[in-house]
Amino acid sequence: MTPLAVSIAGAIASFTLVLVVFELIRSRRLRERYALLWIATGLTLTALSAWRDGLNTIAGWVGVRGYPPAVLFAVGILFILAVLLHYSTVISRLSDQNVVLAQRLALLEEQLRDGVSRR
Amino acid sequence: MSDTVTVSSRAVAPPGLAELRRVAIVPALNEEHALPQVIDELRAFDPGMDIVVVDDGSLDRTAEVAEAKGARVLRLPFNLGIGGAVQTGFRFAFENGYDIAVRVDGDGQHDPSQLARVVEPVLRGDADIAVGSRFAADEAGYRSSRTRRVGIRLLAWVVSRIVGQRVTDTTSGFQVLNREGIALFAHDYPHDYPEVEATVMVFRHRLRLCEVPVSMRERGGGRSSITALRSIYYMVKVLLAIFVGMFRRNVVPQEDSR
């Protein structure tokens, strides 16, 4: 069985994450579309920490015998991997768009200079 | 540009509109087939209205077709999504001092001949934003997939509860805005699936919104930007955005703030 202190600490920590994410969206420092994964992370970890029987059961399923909270770590790491992978795709798109922007800017500047010199 | 003034017998722009500076904002993504007719119909409704097509990174000849019809074209360097595209049009309208902006989708599902009814409440000064609604009257005729209709209904119900006014069609992009509405959307407009959040935003900024019953047509061409799996994602995202939005303080944007 998971020690009670671990459950309480885990629940508080993960719910704090949810609150922080919420505040970041509210103050417009985080867009909803990038917050969804974080909220899923926070809520899942909160649920797994608070629902102690559930954590035990899941630990049994995946063959964790000695220390059920290890499942918390595993799930947390999985979510972090998902968030990182998501960010990698976002960064790839951003850098592609950045290239297009720079190219368009160069073309635009050339047109502008061309217009000035012909006057 | 010989065909730019094709005034048909349907020119029904209400009196009073002619004295105002007015612009039609037409977001378009790969709509080379539907767009020419949309532009013609807008001209037929009101020949004195400027038309701005926002080309959201189309891969077909959308921009060329629009230019050939004499519309002004804002070409986005890549696809921004409908929210970013439409807001480009609102910024254009705001910075060029237009009094009235009409938003009509480039796919032809909004019928410009019905604009007279939608413009009415804004012209009278009864509303800052008028929205053409498919469901305001029980005029049937709008066909759509069942999931889509359920989604639209659910969002309408949530939004109505939040804003305290009956809103039937929160996903309609058939809109007419006055200067206050233009200023608000030019400064702050949601992304991805913007109309729902925008509706809530309008109320939170204490602008007046009213719905006008309209019927919409089948899409003239192109593809809807919303697929099945995406609608679920949008649904969750929009509900989250609305929920968080309720905890924001809202400031009505001033004319001179950028």
Side-chain angles (χ1 to χ4, degrees):
Chain A
M1 196 66 186
T2 311
L4 186 62
V6 171
S7 294
I8 294 175
I12 291 176
S14 13
F15 195 68
T16 307
L17 173 64
V18 176
L19 290 181
V20 169
V21 170
F22 179 89
E23 172 56 24
L24 285 175
I25 307 175
R26 199 195 62 84
S27 58
R28 292 175 183 277
R29 279 177 289 170
L30 180 58
R31 282 207 173 288
E32 290 87 359
R33 73 183 328 182
Y34 302 118
L36 285 176
L37 253 177
W38 281 121
I39 289 184
T41 307
L43 290 181
T44 308
L45 288 181
T46 308
L48 284 180
S49 308
W51 184 38
R52 307 177 69 223
D53 293 339
L55 189 65
N56 270 339
T57 313
I58 295 171
W61 289 344
V62 294
V64 176
R65 303 267 176 259
Y67 191 61
V71 171
L72 274 185
F73 289 107
V75 172
I77 288 171
L78 274 184
F79 268 105
I80 290 174
L81 279 180
V83 169
L84 281 178
L85 194 59
H86 179 225
Y87 281 176
S88 299
T89 66
V90 171
I91 291 173
S92 304
R93 197 186 62 229
L94 281 179
S95 63
D96 285 350
Q97 293 180 339
N98 205 28
V99 169
V100 175
L101 274 185
Q103 291 166 342
R104 290 289 279 258
L105 182 66
L107 293 171
L108 208 60
E109 275 188 340
E110 197 276 333
Q111 275 177 17
L112 264 181
R113 272 196 303 268
D114 201 37
V116 171
S117 61
R118 246 187 285 164
R119 221 180 284 155
Chain B
M1 299 207 184
S2 54
D3 58 347
T4 50
V5 195
T6 41
V7 185
S8 86
S9 55
R10 279 201 308 181
V12 281
L17 193 61
E19 294 110 62
L20 298 169
R21 294 201 60 213
R22 56 220 184 271
V23 62
I25 298 166
V26 186
L29 174 60
N30 298 328
E31 299 289 0
E32 62 179 6
H33 299 296
L35 199 54
Q37 196 195 340
V38 173
I39 295 175
D40 284 343
E41 287 176 337
L42 282 167
R43 289 248 162 70
F45 165 72
D46 179 3
M49 184 158 62
D50 295 337
I51 298 175
V52 175
V53 171
V54 184
D55 176 10
D56 191 13
S58 295
L59 299 173
D60 66 359
R61 302 183 62 253
T62 294
E64 287 88 339
V65 162
E67 256 158 23
K69 282 282 176 188
R72 301 185 76 157
V73 180
L74 306 177
R75 295 179 86 144
L76 295 171
F78 38 75
N79 183 272
L80 286 188
I82 183 70
V86 172
Q87 194 187 20
T88 311
F90 288 133
R91 279 194 207 275
F92 177 90
F94 180 75
E95 292 186 6
N96 290 285
Y98 284 98
D99 303 307
I100 297 263
V102 164
R103 188 197 142 183
V104 176
D105 280 355
D107 60 10
Q109 65 170 323
H110 304 146
D111 179 1
S113 71
Q114 299 188 14
L115 265 175
R117 282 151 78 188
V118 189
V119 170
E120 262 282 311
V122 177
L123 272 189
R124 277 202 315 265
D126 290 344
D128 299 301
I129 295 178
V131 179
S133 163
R134 286 158 282 194
F135 311 113
D138 286 320
E139 239 173 89
Y142 178 70
R143 270 167 292 153
S144 179
S145 72
R146 165 171 287 195
T147 33
R148 188 112 174 245
R149 272 199 314 257
V150 169
I152 290 174
R153 285 280 155 91
L154 174 65
L155 287 174
W157 181 80
V158 170
V159 169
S160 300
R161 286 329 269 300
I162 292 174
V163 302
Q165 173 183 325
R166 197 173 100 99
V167 183
T168 57
D169 193 353
T170 54
T171 53
S172 167
F174 197 21
Q175 303 169 336
V176 176
L177 302 92
N178 67 7
R179 188 75 189 150
E180 279 77 40
I182 295 171
L184 173 60
F185 284 172
H187 289 95
D188 191 5
Y189 199 67
H191 295 233
D192 301 331
Y193 195 40
E195 291 85 7
V196 188
E197 287 172 67
T199 308
V200 178
M201 240 173 65
V202 164
F203 282 93
R204 296 194 60 87
H205 285 88
R206 301 184 191 289
L207 297 190
R208 297 157 303 158
L209 179 142
C210 84
E211 288 191 328
V212 180
V214 295
S215 53
M216 290 191 192
R217 301 182 294 206
E218 299 283 307
R219 304 169 51 80
R223 283 189 316 130
S224 169
S225 53
I226 299 154
T227 60
L229 197 77
R230 277 191 160 184
S231 17
I232 297 171
Y233 158 72
Y234 283 144
M235 201 74 174
V236 175
K237 204 219 81 172
V238 165
L239 289 176
L240 172 69
I242 292 175
F243 176 69
V244 176
M246 292 169 68
F247 295 88
R248 271 190 194 125
R249 236 177 294 143
N250 290 283
V251 187
V252 183
Q254 298 299 306
E255 279 281 308
D256 47 9
S257 69
R258 279 283 153 85

